[in-house]
Coordinates of all heavy atoms in Angstrom, one line a residue:
A41 N -0.3 -17.8 13.9 CA -0.2 -18.5 15.2 C -1.0 -19.8 15.1 O -0.6 -20.8 15.6 CB -0.8 -17.6 16.3
P71 N 9.3 -23.5 7.5 CA 9.5 -23.9 6.1 C 8.5 -24.9 5.6 O 8.3 -25.0 4.4 CB 10.9 -24.6 6.2 CG 11.5 -24.0 7.4 CD 10.4 -23.7 8.4
S160 N -15.3 -12.5 16.3 CA -14.7 -11.5 17.2 C -15.7 -11.3 18.4 O -16.9 -11.5 18.3 CB -14.6 -10.1 16.5 OG -14.3 -9.1 17.4
A168 N -18.0 0.9 18.5 CA -18.7 2.0 17.7 C -17.7 2.6 16.7 O -18.1 3.1 15.7 CB -19.3 3.0 18.6
L233 N -9.9 -26.3 21.3 CA -10.2 -27.0 20.0 C -10.0 -28.5 20.1 O -10.9 -29.3 19.7 CB -9.2 -26.5 18.9 CG -9.5 -26.7 17.5 CD1 -10.8 -26.1 17.1 CD2 -8.4 -26.1 16.6

Side-chain angles (χ1 to χ4, degrees):
S160 169
L233 196 61

